[in-house]
Every structure is written in structure tokens, then in C-alpha cells.
Amino acid sequence: MLAQQKQDITALFQAALAPIIADTGVSANVVLERPRDPSHGDVACNIAMQLAKQLKMNPRELATRVVDALRADPAAAGLVESVDIAGPGFINLRVTAAAKQAVVKAVLAQGANYGNSASGSGQRVIIEFVSANPTGPLHVGHGRQAALGDALSSLFGSQGYDVTREFYYNDAGVQIQTLANSVQARLRGHKPGDAAWPESAYNGDYITDIAADFLAKKTVSASDGSPATASGDIEDIESIRAFAVTYLRNEQDIDLQAFGVKFDNYYLESSLYQDGKVDAAVDMLNKSGKTYEEEGALWLRTEDYGDDKNRVMRKTDGTYTYFVPDVAYHIVKFQRGYNQAINVQGSDHHGTIARVRAGLQAVGLGIPQGFPDYVLHKMVTVMKGGEEVKISKRAGSYVTVRDLIEWSGGGDITKGRDAVRFFLISRKADTEFVFDVDVALKTSDENPVYYVQYAHARICRMLEQWSGDEASLANVDLAPLTAPTEATLLATLAAYPETLARAQAELGPHQIAFYLRDLAANLHSFYFAERVLVDDEALKAARIALMVATRQVLRNGLALIGVSAPNKM
């Protein structure tokens, strides 16, 4: 059902219950559900069983009174076809064919806005994802974050939220120094395997590329920040560090552009130290009384907030543990005015959740207990030619996002991006995923993104053969849409707005991919069961309108997850 129809049916139940519960002090919370067995009807409600005890009535007797009132209500005309009682007091309701068909005109009228809502209006949400260390190319795990985070951002945007996409750069710490040392070792002529090659160094070919450009005194720029010009001096470790970080940030920018992902803001970990945000956070925690000194280290009483043990904040050498700047960063997010913060990260970050939230509670700024939310994803295994791929020449130790896009497109970047994006959100984030490049290259039903895109292209071909004016469909009579496959398509189209609302509330963009596969399957089933361009003009017009509506919803859903909707395959 459409949202308005659901609201209208809820209002019918409330009107039917009003005289029954008047002056009793009992309130009715009407919840409509879809029956597990479609033969029972379109809507089920157990309100009679919920209220019977409070009203001291037999559930079936109460259900009978409600049903009689529903049948007698003039407002039910054109919406409710029949209403019955099942079992001890379940109320099952069927909506009229006209009500089910109304979704077509709703889609035609709303177009690209169908499925959108204003439920999040006035709410600001910041979604942080990818946040890769600038020490190498983006790997497939970052790709899964990018697909999840970007789809989640679009999903929140579709529900009226003011969304900020943010990339947090861990540009401070040991890994950055390791990067600089790796490039310097290359500059001195060493390579992996040499006795003088640092044990912890990065081994990918990209280190050689950075070293060559450094010697050439090139200038590189990232999407934000100042350009970095190499000094060319192999002893100038600070110039090497600055050049290498900017070089790799630019490389990551290129990867993200190929993936079709854009960020609204980039935040540097180093700025938290430079701006005194880390020291300020530690000061607030000290003043809260939730810290203590022991064996030369500073500890936070995270056990008070549900953690399994207290955690070290400042080590004996005076440096902070990694969760401390995370606390400072999330204080900044809260102070920037976001109602909700969502972090899309690998499952290896699970251990940080309790301590970061504990730190945010301890500072006493009124930060909500569940701030921030987390979407943690599990690892991706890449298969190619029937074998697992573990090493990329480009990266030296892992498969990169760029590798995956190039492999999956067979030379077509758009095709590769579509496959990678669709595949990487097609499972719940907390499940491990096997990405089979061979499947991504197939032009058959085995390839889920091809299957969905082909449904869109199939409709485009039908409409091209029709060659009519789509504007003429606005007032079409939809009554001829009575075939079983048509009824299934209508119901699936009507479920789209509710699917988006649920996916947003549950932080589950995978539900969009599930929905699109179902919609495509129902379209293909209709195509093989019925003809569109029939001689009966009324039936043809109704079916064409149904096809245009289905094409629109396929486009809307694919756009949300950043996948193209080709007219031809």
C-alpha cells in the first residue's frame, strides 16, 4: 500500500474503536501488518486481541464490533474491498483493486522523488566512511565502506536529512613515519628483500612511483589542502613525508572519483593535535573525575560505562592511545551540531566502540548515549578465474579498489563501477562477502547488477517500440491491470517508500539491493507472462503506464546506490 492509504486505513480503525474505548481510559495503538499468507488478505491487525483484556471483552466479540464499524464507514469506500475475522480475533482486510493500482499514478506524478520523504527534515547527520590512512592505495575493504557509506548517505538524504559525507584522515602516528621511511629507502636504492630494507616498510610498486616523482621534484595536490612540492633531497625526511602523504591522498582521490564517490568534508587527525582538541578532551575527562593515574599511565574508568575493563589514555611515554583522538574527534562532531553521527568501519574497530562512547559520556557535554552509531563490515574475499586473489602488484599486499573496478568492467570503467558498487552493498555489512570477478563480467541472470539493469533496458526497449507520448499516461484507466504478474508488480512498486524508510532506520542499504532484485524479477516474470503492445488499446495503455512506473522506480533505486540505469544492454 501507499503510505497515505496505510494512514487512511489506520484512521478507519481508530474511528471504529473510538466509541468502544470512549470513557474507558484505554488507548488504542493500531499497528497494521502484512499477513504471512497472502490468501488471508492485504492487511492484518490484532488490535482486538490487544485490547480485549483491558476492555473486559471477548477478543472475537470486540473484533466483530470493530469490523461492523469498518464496513459501515463511508470513508472506506473505494479503499476497502472486504474485512473479515480470523481465528480468535485477527482482523484481515483487503483493499480494492483501484487502491492497489493507484501506485502507478503516484509514481508517474512524483517521478524521481517517488520514495522520498521529509521524515528527517531539520535533522543533521554526519556519515564518516572510508577514512583510509594515506599510506597506500584504497583496498577492497575501503571499497565496501565507500559503497555502504555513499548509499547510506543517499538513503538518509532521500528521507529529508541534511547529510554530510566526511573522510577522516589518520595522518598522524607511526604509519606515516613508516611511509616516509619506505620512500626514503627506495630513494637510497634499496628494495624489498634487501638487507637494508626496513622490516615494517610498505612493499608496493607505488613506493617506487613516489620516490621517482620526489627525485623529479614534482608538485602534487589532494582534493583539499595545499599542494606539496618535493625537495628532491633524499635526506629531507620531512619533505618526503609531506610529499608522500599528499601523493597518496591524490591517488585515493582518483580511486574515489573512479568509484563515483564524493565527500563534503575532509578532516585531518593532525588538526586535532594542532588545534588543541585532544588536550581539551583529556582536560575535560580529568575534570570529570573519571580518570586516574596508575603505574605512570593515565587511565579512563570505561568500566563505569559498560566496557569490560578500564582503558589506558596516556601511556608511560607520554603519548596517547589511539582511542583518545577518536573521543576528541567525536566531541568535535557533536559540537558541530549533528543530531546523529554514523561511522562505517571494518569489524576490527568493534573494540573501540565501548571506549569511545564511554569517553563521550564522561566529558559531561550531554552527548547521547548511542553517539556515534556504527556500521561495521566484514572482510571481502576476491575471486578471479576460480582462485582467491590476495596480492596486487600495485599495492604489494592486497587487492585495490581500482583493480576491482578495472577487472569487473572488462575495460569499461562505468560497468566496473556499477558491478563493484552493487555487489559490495548486496549483503548485510556484518556478513563476509566473496566478490567473484567472473560473475561480475557475465551478461546473464547470474550477475545481479546485470539482471537489474537489464530489467530497466528491457522496459526502455518496449517503450521505444511503442513510441508514444508518456505525458498521455497521466489520466490512463488502470482498471485493466488484473493479471497476477501485474498485481505482484503493483505491490512491489507500492513497497518502495516503506523499504527506503526501513533501510534508513536500520542503517541497512543492502535492503535497496534486495528490493531491486525483487522488482527486476517481478518485471521479468511479467514480461514472459504478458504482452504489452496488445491490440486492446485500454489494456495497452494501462500496461505501458505500469512499465513507465516500474522503469522509474528501478532508476530511483539504482541512483540511490550510485549505479547507472542504461537504456540498452
Side-chain angles (χ1 to χ4, degrees):
M1 290 183 297
L2 294 170
Q4 186 58 54
Q5 293 171 339
K6 193 170 183 179
Q7 292 172 16
D8 292 343
I9 291 174
T10 300
L12 289 173
F13 271 97
Q14 290 170 335
L17 286 161
I20 301 173
I21 64 176
D23 303 322
T24 64
V26 174
S27 59
N29 179 29
V30 177
V31 177
L32 305 180
E33 298 177 338
R34 184 176 298 176
R36 292 182 181 178
D37 185 347
S39 67
H40 292 168
D42 301 308
V43 178
C45 184
N46 68 349
I47 192 69
M49 299 174 68
Q50 285 183 33
L51 300 183
K53 186 174 182 180
Q54 296 179 66
L55 295 171
K56 299 179 181 179
M57 296 176 66
N58 178 280
R60 195 170 176 91
E61 176 192 349
L62 177 55
T64 300
R65 289 185 62 182
V66 172
V67 167
D68 289 344
L70 285 170
R71 289 171 176 163
D73 193 334
L79 178 59
V80 178
E81 180 180 275
S82 65
V83 57
D84 301 292
I85 303 170
F90 288 104
I91 299 173
N92 292 330
L93 182 148
R94 295 182 187 278
V95 299
T96 63
K100 294 176 182 178
Q101 294 156 357
V103 66
V104 172
K105 291 187 178 178
V107 176
L108 296 181
Q110 296 173 39
N113 290 320
Y114 179 69
N116 294 356
S117 83
S119 62
S121 180
Q123 300 292 305
R124 299 183 66 219
V125 58
I126 181 169
I127 302 179
E128 180 209 330
F129 56 103
V130 182
S131 295
N133 295 333
T135 55
L138 300 180
H139 56 62
V140 292
H142 296 133
R144 193 172 192 184
Q145 285 186 36
L148 289 166
D150 199 47
L152 194 60
S153 299
S154 297
L155 188 54
F156 267 79
S158 77
Q159 302 306 294
Y161 290 80
D162 179 0
V163 181
T164 297
R165 292 165 165 86
E166 185 150 288
F167 192 122
Y168 177 66
Y169 274 115
N170 299 102
D171 65 334
V174 174
Q175 290 178 314
I176 300 300
Q177 190 58 47
T178 300
L179 171 66
N181 292 340
S182 303
V183 175
Q184 189 176 54
R186 283 284 190 178
L187 288 166
R188 288 172 173 165
H190 306 305
K191 61 182 183 299
D194 292 350
W197 185 253
E199 185 178 346
S200 61
Y202 298 111
N203 299 327
D205 283 358
Y206 67 94
I207 298 295
T208 304
D209 296 337
I210 296 171
D213 284 357
F214 182 83
L215 279 178
K217 299 182 180 181
K218 289 189 177 181
T219 298
V220 290
S221 299
S223 57
D224 70 312
S226 302
T229 300
S231 69
D233 180 358
I234 66 174
E235 300 303 324
D236 188 351
I237 193 68
E238 180 54 32
S239 179
I240 294 171
R241 186 201 63 77
F243 181 80
V245 167
T246 305
Y247 182 102
L248 286 170
R249 288 184 63 189
N250 178 60
E251 286 291 300
Q252 292 180 358
D253 289 342
I254 294 170
D255 290 345
L256 291 167
Q257 287 166 13
F259 208 37
V261 175
K262 295 180 180 179
F263 286 89
D264 301 303
N265 194 49
Y266 294 85
Y267 201 100
L268 303 182
E269 180 186 2
S270 58
S271 72
L272 292 169
Y273 292 94
Q274 293 165 4
D275 298 342
K277 301 296 185 183
V278 174
D279 288 339
V282 173
D283 186 54
M284 282 188 278
L285 290 170
N286 285 332
K287 290 178 179 177
S288 73
K290 293 294 183 178
T291 64
Y292 63 95
E293 295 269 359
E294 186 174 289
E295 297 180 351
L298 180 66
W299 296 68
L300 179 65
R301 300 183 190 278
T302 53
E303 285 183 351
D304 293 355
Y305 301 95
D307 200 1
D308 58 348
K309 62 180 180 180
N310 293 331
R311 304 288 176 173
V312 173
M313 289 175 52
R314 188 179 62 235
K315 295 178 286 186
T316 54
D317 63 3
T319 60
Y320 293 119
T321 55
Y322 62 89
F323 89 91
V324 176
D326 280 355
V327 171
Y329 175 42
H330 286 89
I331 291 172
V332 171
K333 285 184 180 179
F334 179 72
Q335 291 173 334
R336 286 159 65 190
Y338 291 104
N339 307 95
Q340 186 175 7
I342 303 168
N343 297 343
V344 183
Q345 297 174 321
S347 56
D348 57 330
H349 286 77
H350 184 272
T352 68
I353 296 176
R355 64 199 73 167
V356 169
R357 286 179 174 169
L360 295 174
Q361 291 302 298
V363 294
L365 294 175
I367 299 175
Q369 286 190 5
F371 190 98
D373 291 307
Y374 287 85
V375 175
L376 301 183
H377 70 86
K378 290 193 175 177
M379 63 184 295
V380 179
T381 299
V382 178
M383 301 291 292
K384 190 170 181 277
E387 297 181 352
E388 182 179 348
V389 184
K390 293 185 177 181
I391 297 176
S392 158
K393 185 177 180 182
R394 178 181 289 136
S397 59
Y398 55 82
V399 176
T400 70
V401 172
R402 209 181 308 178
D403 289 331
L404 207 55
I405 292 172
E406 291 171 358
W407 295 342
S408 301
D412 185 330
I413 293 297
T414 299
K415 181 181 176 183
R417 179 180 66 235
D418 287 347
V420 175
R421 272 183 172 263
F422 195 98
F423 277 42
L424 291 180
I425 73 152
S426 63
R427 297 285 187 278
K428 287 186 68 175
D430 62 0
T431 60
E432 292 189 3
F433 182 71
V434 176
F435 190 110
D436 193 325
V437 173
D438 298 335
V439 172
L441 290 169
K442 288 185 177 180
T443 54
S444 69
D445 294 354
E446 290 181 69
N447 181 348
V449 68
Y450 178 86
Y451 186 68
V452 173
Q453 289 178 322
Y454 188 64
H456 181 270
R458 175 166 268 168
I459 295 172
C460 290
R461 187 175 62 201
M462 285 184 208
L463 297 176
E464 190 177 308
Q465 292 171 353
W466 169 58
S467 68
D469 181 8
E470 292 182 17
S472 67
L473 303 173
N475 298 312
V476 70
D477 180 10
L478 299 169
L481 299 177
T482 57
T485 53
E486 292 166 342
T488 300
L489 261 181
L490 291 167
T492 308
L493 295 177
Y496 181 66
E498 188 175 294
T499 298
L500 297 192
R502 183 174 60 252
Q504 177 265 313
E506 297 176 0
L507 307 184
H510 65 279
Q511 295 179 40
I512 306 171
F514 288 3
Y515 172 87
L516 288 170
R517 291 190 69 174
D518 287 344
L519 180 57
N522 295 335
L523 181 279
H524 293 310
S525 295
F526 165 83
Y527 177 84
F528 289 115
E530 311 291 343
R531 288 180 57 230
V532 174
L533 304 180
V534 294
D535 293 333
D536 184 328
E537 290 297 327
L539 178 59
K540 178 169 67 175
R543 284 182 173 169
I544 288 171
L546 177 60
M547 291 299 95
V548 173
T550 303
R551 181 188 64 178
Q552 183 66 64
V553 177
L554 284 166
R555 281 181 181 172
N556 292 1
L558 287 168
L560 270 182
I561 59 176
V563 176
S564 67
N567 294 341
K568 294 180 180 180
M569 297 290 284

